[in-house]
Structures are given as structure tokens and as C-alpha cells.
Amino acid sequence: MSAPDDRVSAACDLVVVGGGPAGVAGALTAALRGLNVVLVDSGARLGGQYFRHQAGAAHTATPGLDRFLRQGRALGERAEVLLGHQVWTVTRDGDRLTVHCQTPDGRPVAIRCRDLLIATGAHDRPLPFPGWDLPGVLTAGGAQALLKGNGVVAGGRVVVGGTGPFLLPVAAGLAGAGAEVLGVFEANGGLALARHPVLALGKAGEAAGYGLAMARHRVPYRTHQAVIAAHGERELEAVTVARLDGDWNVLATREVACDTLAVGYGFVPQIELGVELGCQTRPDADGMPVLAVDGRQRTTVDGVWAAGEPTGVGGRHLAELEGRIAGLAVAGAPVPGVLARRRRRMRAFGEALHHAYPVKPGWQSWLRDDTLVCRCEEVPVARVRAALALGATDARSVKLLARPGMGWCQGRVCGYAVACLAGERPRPPRRPIAQPISLGALADLDTH
Amino acid sequence: MSDVIVIGAGVVGAACAYYAARAGLDVTVVDRGPVAGGTTGAGEGNVLVSDKEPGPELDLALLSNRLWGELAAMGGFEYEPKGGLVVAETDEVQKQLVELAAEQGVEYAVVPGADLRGYEPHLAEGLAGGVYYPQDAQVQPMLAAAHLLRHGAESYGHGTLHLRTGVTVTGFTRSGERVTGVRTDRGDILGGAVINAAGTWGGEIARLAGVDLPVLPRRGFILVTEPLREPLIRHKVYTAAYVTNVASDSADLETSAVVEGTPAGTVLIGASRERVGFDRTTSPRVLARLAAQAVALFPVLREVRVIRSYCGFRPYCPDHLPVIGPDPRAPGLYHACGHEGAGIGLAPATGLVLSQLLTGARPELDPRPFRPDRFSSGTPVEPSPESSRATEESA
């Protein structure tokens, strides 16, 4: 849309969306090369999902936080950082892009730029199971956010379940903050990865650190086990833990009393801004759609770049590296071969993680007819299956017939599960309005 | 071999299949996607008589209106006979609205400006008046289509209605001139008659049979708000400009405020019309215009948040009438497409009339205004552009 100048709040060379490791590194690198940079993030502080932190808290708890905060301070001196700004759409007008944001008090802010770096990270990928909507059941990322952002110990007696290495820092963090972690239940094997050569790249130290923390707090780590149901009258009182076969079918169960459950089955890269701009996507090693980028982090659309999880889940080290590469590339600087080689190695490691910690189809056998799939619209499994029986053949038609994904979160929580139930690979999300915006703010953009 | 093959499992195809099965015919429905995956799944579910000028389309709408009430009694989908309120900004427009209402021959009540808030308490001040149409209704169109197919399959003996999703029609089988079935990516399906109910893609299907049918896409966006705890809007409310836009021939963007609540608590906001082919690129300019018009009509909506938007492609013909009936240029081929923005509302009457034509019964209304060869200009048929198919994506 051709935004008239009086509606454009700022103009710059590069807008970076996302203030996590990728966004901050990208913005700082580009700013150091002399570009006029604006970074926007919806949070109250920089950090993103990984470095979500409390102001003034001790920085020793999270590996890498000191380094990140240094980068953040350096960025603050060289670029404009707009916190609490939610981007709801990006529009194109010739070779210029306009990033449309909304402040917490509903004020629209539009920033014109030549280049856009999408560093929007990823969010948790939960799987539904009976009782997952009880108070006391959190996503793994949610438990960590609670711990890091508010300094709150997520509960007295905690169970951690799911798959993937992210469960380790969550459990270690909770234990370190004083919670009694009754067990970490890893649905996959988990050990094969220890032999992966890339672990020698420095991840090993971090992993060993978590291992030590867990040993110190006597946290049991059980593989081929999962939490398949949560129980409680009004809030969580106990969970059913199952021993699983290789496809995650249940072999045996037992109950564990607890008041908090943190579950995580991987991540969903946030790519909707890129999808709406027409960027090509590719399936990541776990089948999740991610933005396709070249060796310089350039998407298939002119002026649009991406770094970190939106290009494939790979963790904070890779995110920061990709941010730096993108920052150099946007500034027109060459990307040193050493960075490119490290990126390739770490990307391979990320893919190895996907292969070591897949989601297996047996989780669908944990569901009951009344298990909610979509919590926003309160759609139970039975209604999803009824939609399939009525002639829905994919996640979109299930949504049209049964409403999962039509509510407040726009399918961010249930989209993966619905795609699995519909028997298809998750498709790139279409969210033209990436964040809710008031009709008044939207109307104010009307120039007619 | 089926008596009838229906191409398209949208609401029009579903209604055709349902009434054909009810008439005792064996029906196979094919769709390259799921049930209701095209324009049916991208609309508001309008069943309107208020927006139509007197003539054949209004006759079709009135018949449909009665049929929807009967079909809804079978259950499975929401049907809300909530009534429509057309509002006028000026006395001049109000006068025109009242004149139109008098000609339409449908139930209506003239609402003076002072009484508007008795119908809609949150309407803006300063409106000149309106006309209330109690027959206007809304259905949940996707569930309606799916349940019509299910009722058709379950109510009239086993095996009378087969639904085959994920089957793409690639051509027609012929015996001489006569159409004897469809070629698909899953093999040939033979039938006594073929109904083209492919909606916005009906022109492409016709081209596969070597006949020209000028059905073209007219894009529309809809905004959806967060669910509201208290319903703010009771009826379907729209401005008089909507009526003129519906009948307009302009290719440029046209918008008019159409605002209504749904049983899910959300508010749907339309309506825009653009002829831009099958382009799904979101236009914030259009979304902003829709929002501005909605808050002008209902200032209370200013603070309400939009959580999503979607777009769809109305199948429109140059004279804004649907195409219903046998195609004399390809014997055995029938059309039921080109309903523009009124496909949900007009579907049952379309299906009923077609089933009557297929069985040789006397049609409930005169189908001649909808005949497929009415456009014939003698222009040669061009091959189907690949791009239109490739852009069919999720809304």
C-alpha cells in the first residue's frame, strides 16, 4: 500500500523484526557497517524466547546471556530499538517495504525500509493429550519463560516431558530454582546424539553442564517414556507416564503425583511475515515449513532476509551466526568463509537433532474423543475426526468444518496437531494479520 | 456408472447432488480438493433476498430461501434467519431503498432514522434510515455443503451418492458430440450427465469440454474479529452502496460495509470487490478500507480487534446471473456455476431446478434466463491458463 509520508513514523535502511539472538546480532552487525537500523520486538526487553530475562537478575544462570546483553547494549547505542511493538503486517511499495506495528496502547507505527530481516524465532510445538488444558500444564518454553521472565519457580513438584535437548535446560533451570523435578521423560532414545561429531563444537560443554546440574539435583532422565495424560479436578494433581515403543505406542503406564508439568515436542518457526511477502518455503528436516534462504540469508523475495529459527530450528548459536551473516550481507559486505563453514556445520547439527528427536505417530493413540485439540475454539478430537469423515482432506478443510485454529492464537498452538490428524505435513501458515489489531488502528490506515 | 457426475463439492455441487439423489438418481461428486474448499469456504454464508433487484435472480433467491429453511431442519449446520438491515446515509438514498423494496415483492419494513437503534443499538448516529428484511438469513456454508452431501448419501438408499475428494477432472469422455463422463487423474468416470459446479473455476471446466463460459473471479476480503462475549450486532447490516456494488461492472476496487455477528461470537466484516484474477496477495489497503467503513457504521467496533482475514473469489458472469441448465453446445453437460457472491443463498434452488431438468420434471421456475449459451459471441475458446490453477491455495 502506498502509505503517505505523514503516516510513516520512521524510515531507515533495515528493519529487523525480532530481538532474540539472531535479530540483535543482525541489527548490530548491520549498524556497525553504517546502516540505519531499526529493531522491533513485541517483548518488554530484548532476548526473545531464549534470553527472556528479568531486569537486573543474575546473569550466570543462562549460558551466553552476558554476551547477548553486551550486544544488546552496543545495539542500543547504534540503532533504534522499539520494544513492545507488534508487527501485524509488512507491505511492499516498489522497492520499499513498510513494516506496520502496533504499540501496547494500540498506536499504529509504520516504518519504511529498503531491507527487512525476519528474525522472529519459533514457538513451542505442543501435542495434545488428555488433560493438557488443566491449569498447571505448561509448555516447556512457557515454564522456562515463567522461570526466567518472572523469577517464579514454576511449582513445587514438577514433571518435564516431551522430546529434544531443550528439555534439559528447562529441567535444570527448574531444579536450580528450587523446584523438585520428579523426572524428565524423553519420548525418544536421546542417547544416539551424544556420539554426533558436532557435539564436539562446544555444545558438548553445555550439554554436560545440564547433565551435571540434573545429577546434582538427582533428576531422573528416562528415555522412551512420555506423559500421556494429566489428571486433576480443577488443576493438575497427577500425570500418567507411559513406557513407549519406537512409534510411541503405549507399553505400560504408571501415575506420578505432581503439581506442574512442562511439555515440549519441538518448535514451530514463526514465518508468517515471510509467507505473506511471498517468500518461498521449504520443509525442515522435521517437516515444518521454514523460509528458504541462500548462503547470505537472503529469501527468494528482494530485500527480505531471514535468520535463526525461521530458516530452520538450530538453536541460539546458529541463530546468532545467521544474524551476523545477514547483517553483513544486507550491508553489502562479503561473508567470510569461516562463518559460512560454521553455519553449514551447525545447520547439519540442527538437522541431526530433528532426526534424533522426531515426533512419532503413536501420540495420536493417547487421545480420547473429548481431548481438546484447539483450546481457543474448544474443538475436541471427535469433532476433528467428524470433519474428516464429512469430506475434509487437509488441515485447512478441517479448520473450515470444525474451527480448530480459528481462534485467538490462529492455529499457532494446534496447527501442527491438526495437520497430523489430517494426515498431511504442516503447510506454511497464512496469517495476513500476523498479530491482532484493533479495527480503529486498522481503519486509521485508510487513506481514502 | 452414475446417472449424474457433479464436478465440485462446494455448496452448489452439494445441493445439485442432494436434489439429484432425492430425485432417485445415482450421483458421483468429484472435487480436486476437499468439500467446500473453494469459494464456499471463503464467504460469509449469505442467504439474502434484500440485495437483489426484481427479476430472475430474486425469484431464484426466494425459492432458495424457502428451501434452506427445509434443509436446515435436517440438522448438522447452523442456519440463522436473523434478518438483514440495509441502512442509508442520506434521505435521498433512503428514498431509493424504499422504492426498491416496494418493487422486490419480499417481506420488508421501512425503518425511519429514529428507529434504527431499535434494530441495532450500536449503529452510528446520523443515519437517514433503512429497510429491514426479515427473510435474510445466514448459514455456515462449509458444514451446510458437507451435510447436504451426507444427507444425500444416507437418506435415499445406499450407494446413491458417492463423494470422491482429491480427484482432478482433466477432460471429458465423449461419444460423438455427447459428453459421457469425465477424465480424471484417477481414471475415467462415466455418467449419464455431467454437472459443472466448479464455481469460479467453472469456466476452465467448460473449456475442457470445448465450450466458452465467461465465469471470472471477483476477489473479496473478509475481516474476522476476536470473539465478543456480548453480541453487539444482531442482524446482517449493510450500507446501500452494497446493492449498487453487487450489480456493478467495474474492475476497480469497490467496497461497502457489510457487518454481522456469528454464533461463534466473532464479527465478520466485508465486502470488497476487485477483478484481479486469482491473486491471493493480501491488500492492507483493502483491509483498512473495510475496517474504516465498519467503524463508521458501528463506532463501538473501534476497540474490537481483528484476528484474521481471508479472501475468496466470487465466480461472476458479465450479466451477474448464474449459469444453470443444459449446454446445447455439449449435449450431456449441464452447468451450475457463476453465482458470484450469492452461491450459498442460491444453491438449493439451483440444485432443485437442475434435478428437475435432469429428470424431465417441470422446473419450479423458468430456467431460461440462466441458460449457458446466452453469452455466445462466436469468439474462439482459448486454452486454460495454468496460473489460475496453481494459485488455488488455502485462505
Side-chain angles (χ1 to χ4, degrees):
Chain A
M1 106 190 251
S2 55
D5 288 336
D6 60 337
R7 297 196 188 273
V8 172
S9 327
C12 61
D13 299 319
L14 170 68
V15 170
V16 178
V17 184
V24 166
L28 178 59
T29 307
L32 287 170
R33 288 286 185 292
L35 294 194
N36 187 353
V37 179
V38 176
L39 182 144
V40 295
D41 190 273
S42 60
R45 281 180 293 277
L46 290 177
Q49 291 292 330
Y50 187 80
F51 287 124
R52 195 194 297 260
H53 62 279
Q54 198 178 357
H59 300 155
T60 48
T62 306
L65 182 57
D66 276 332
R67 175 186 166 89
F68 177 78
L69 292 175
R70 253 194 333 271
Q71 292 180 3
R73 277 193 298 275
L75 178 66
E77 293 160 9
R78 291 169 179 83
E80 190 172 357
V81 176
L82 301 175
L83 297 170
H85 282 57
Q86 289 198 321
V87 177
W88 68 270
T89 193
V90 179
T91 57
R92 174 182 287 285
D93 176 20
D95 64 346
R96 294 277 141 172
L97 296 162
T98 303
V99 179
H100 296 275
C101 323
Q102 186 174 223
T103 61
D105 55 359
R107 194 167 46 84
V109 173
I111 312 158
R112 294 262 267 174
C113 57
R114 191 194 65 218
D115 289 289
L116 171 73
L117 174 58
I118 297 171
T120 41
H123 57 78
D124 281 291
R125 186 172 67 184
L127 293 179
F129 55 87
W132 74 305
D133 48 328
L134 277 173
V137 181
L138 308 168
T139 61
Q144 209 183 31
L146 210 60
L147 194 63
K148 287 184 180 175
N150 311 321
V152 173
V153 177
R157 292 164 60 80
V158 185
V159 166
V160 177
T163 192
F166 184 62
L167 302 180
L168 296 177
V170 171
L174 289 165
E180 184 186 354
V181 180
L182 303 169
V184 176
F185 300 102
E186 163 60 61
N188 282 300
L191 285 174
L193 200 69
R195 292 192 291 275
H196 194 280
V198 191
L199 267 178
L201 280 173
K203 284 260 177 184
E206 205 171 307
Y210 295 132
L212 277 177
M214 294 201 2
R216 192 164 61 242
H217 295 287
R218 299 176 195 284
V219 175
Y221 181 75
R222 301 277 178 264
T223 57
H224 301 295
Q225 295 194 21
V227 174
I228 62 162
H231 315 283
E233 278 292 313
R234 293 218 180 80
E235 55 190 35
L236 182 68
E237 293 165 15
V239 295
T240 300
V241 174
R243 205 151 49 75
L244 305 176
D245 70 10
D247 282 330
W248 293 13
N249 296 304
V250 173
L251 298 175
T253 63
R254 66 193 157 97
E255 287 218 354
V256 175
C258 62
D259 51 42
T260 301
L261 167 65
V263 271
Y265 286 93
F267 299 93
V268 179
Q270 304 216 73
I271 61 171
E272 50 265 71
L273 292 179
V275 172
E276 287 305 321
L277 283 166
C279 300
Q280 263 178 34
T281 62
R282 64 173 182 91
D284 201 359
D286 63 345
M288 297 304 288
V290 294
L291 299 176
V293 290
D294 65 11
R296 298 162 62 80
Q297 304 301 132
R298 189 169 47 187
T299 71
T300 55
V301 172
D302 275 352
V304 182
W305 312 72
E309 318 300 53
T311 70
V313 171
R316 68 176 169 95
H317 294 284
L318 177 58
E320 185 198 312
L321 180 63
E322 290 191 343
R324 287 169 63 192
I325 292 173
L328 289 171
V330 173
V335 177
V338 59
L339 294 190
R341 282 191 295 280
R342 262 181 71 206
R343 174 183 180 275
R344 272 200 300 278
R345 279 203 307 273
M346 292 168 73
R347 182 54 72 198
F349 180 67
E351 283 170 12
L353 282 181
H354 282 316
H355 291 301
Y357 299 100
V359 171
K360 293 297 187 75
W363 69 268
Q364 293 183 31
S365 69
W366 312 344
L367 302 172
R368 294 195 320 232
D369 277 353
D370 63 350
T371 305
L372 290 186
V373 175
C374 169
R375 291 156 69 160
C376 301
E377 292 286 324
E378 300 187 348
V379 181
V381 168
R383 212 153 1 120
V384 171
R385 291 186 174 143
L388 292 167
L390 273 173
T393 58
D394 54 16
R396 175 178 172 260
S397 48
V398 168
K399 172 175 153 180
L400 289 176
L401 290 173
R403 300 189 63 78
M406 282 205 182
W408 188 252
C409 87
Q410 286 299 292
R412 286 180 174 87
V413 175
C414 68
Y416 177 71
V418 173
C420 291
L421 290 170
E424 67 169 0
R425 203 152 67 176
R427 294 195 204 179
R430 294 296 308 263
R431 296 189 187 103
I433 295 176
Q435 296 291 338
I437 177 174
S438 74
L439 275 164
L442 184 54
D444 289 342
L445 289 178
D446 183 34
T447 55
H448 188 59
Chain B
M1 162 136 182
S2 292
D3 298 322
V4 184
I5 297 163
V6 179
I7 304 170
V11 72
V12 173
C16 290
Y18 170 81
Y19 283 105
R22 203 182 73 165
L25 301 174
D26 283 340
V27 187
T28 299
V29 180
V30 296
D31 196 297
R32 64 182 167 183
V35 166
T39 306
T40 298
E44 295 156 299
N46 287 333
V47 181
L48 300 188
V49 297
S50 56
D51 65 338
K52 293 174 181 64
E53 294 179 1
E57 195 191 4
L58 183 56
D59 298 340
L60 202 62
L62 282 166
L63 173 57
S64 255
N65 196 277
R66 174 164 66 77
L67 296 174
W68 267 126
E70 294 170 18
L71 294 172
M74 299 190 302
F77 59 93
E78 295 157 3
Y79 169 79
E80 269 198 300
K82 61 184 177 185
L85 180 66
V86 192
V87 297
E89 285 97 338
T90 65
D91 291 333
E92 173 66 27
V93 173
Q94 173 68 357
K95 189 165 153 276
Q96 291 168 3
L97 280 182
V98 174
E99 283 169 11
L100 173 66
E103 290 169 19
Q104 283 170 313
V106 302
E107 295 172 40
Y108 73 98
V110 175
V111 184
D115 296 349
L116 278 175
R117 287 191 175 169
Y119 285 83
E120 288 292 344
H122 298 287
L123 267 177
E125 283 178 43
L127 292 162
V131 175
Y132 175 65
Y133 290 89
Q135 286 164 292
D136 280 357
Q138 188 176 27
V139 296
Q140 206 283 22
M142 296 77 84
L143 281 175
H147 280 280
L148 282 184
L149 290 168
R150 171 168 284 185
H151 288 308
E154 291 179 350
S155 307
Y156 305 105
H158 287 290
T160 50
L161 196 164
H162 287 288
L163 170 64
R164 295 187 60 186
T165 52
V167 176
T168 303
V169 171
T170 56
F172 288 88
T173 59
R174 310 291 275 255
S175 167
E177 276 299 282
R178 193 168 179 79
V179 168
T180 58
V182 291
R183 295 195 186 285
T184 79
D185 59 349
R186 305 280 183 89
D188 294 352
I189 305 170
L190 298 183
V194 177
I195 299 176
N196 169 17
T200 314
W201 297 270
E204 289 177 36
I205 293 293
R207 214 166 297 149
L208 293 175
V211 295
D212 185 35
L213 207 61
V215 181
L216 290 167
R218 202 174 181 194
R219 184 172 74 172
F221 284 100
I222 291 174
L223 296 172
V224 186
T225 71
E226 60 189 312
L228 306 179
R229 274 189 218 95
E230 298 286 319
L232 290 177
I233 293 150
R234 300 172 180 173
H235 308 95
K236 181 178 191 77
V237 182
Y238 61 91
T239 52
Y242 181 71
V243 185
T244 46
N245 282 358
V246 166
S248 151
D249 289 321
S250 170
D252 296 337
L253 171 67
E254 295 176 325
T255 59
S256 49
V258 181
V259 184
E260 64 194 304
T262 68
T266 56
V267 176
L268 302 184
I269 295 165
S272 65
R273 289 163 196 278
E274 289 168 282
R275 278 151 52 176
V276 292
F278 286 97
D279 182 1
R280 283 192 179 273
T281 313
T282 300
S283 165
R285 183 172 71 101
V286 180
L287 303 188
R289 178 80 56 79
L290 293 178
Q293 291 175 336
V295 300
L297 205 51
F298 289 99
V300 66
L301 291 177
R302 271 202 83 84
E303 304 307 317
V304 172
R305 282 170 293 190
V306 182
I307 60 171
R308 61 190 177 95
S309 73
Y310 55 91
C311 80
F313 300 98
R314 304 175 183 88
Y316 88 94
C317 294
D319 60 2
H320 302 288
L321 287 180
V323 183
I324 304 167
D327 194 326
R329 301 165 296 179
L333 177 64
Y334 293 70
H335 299 287
C337 54
H339 294 72
E340 199 160 342
I344 313 300
L346 302 178
T350 301
L352 177 63
V353 168
L354 255 192
S355 75
Q356 289 164 337
L357 292 171
L358 283 164
T359 54
R362 189 168 168 276
E364 201 115 344
L365 52 75
D366 179 7
R368 276 174 303 181
F370 312 113
R371 66 184 194 282
D373 56 338
R374 66 183 191 268
F375 310 101
S376 54
S377 57
T379 48
V381 177
E382 284 173 31
S384 136
E386 278 303 308
S387 59
S388 60
R389 182 146 300 190
T391 51
E392 213 246 339
E393 249 286 327
S394 64

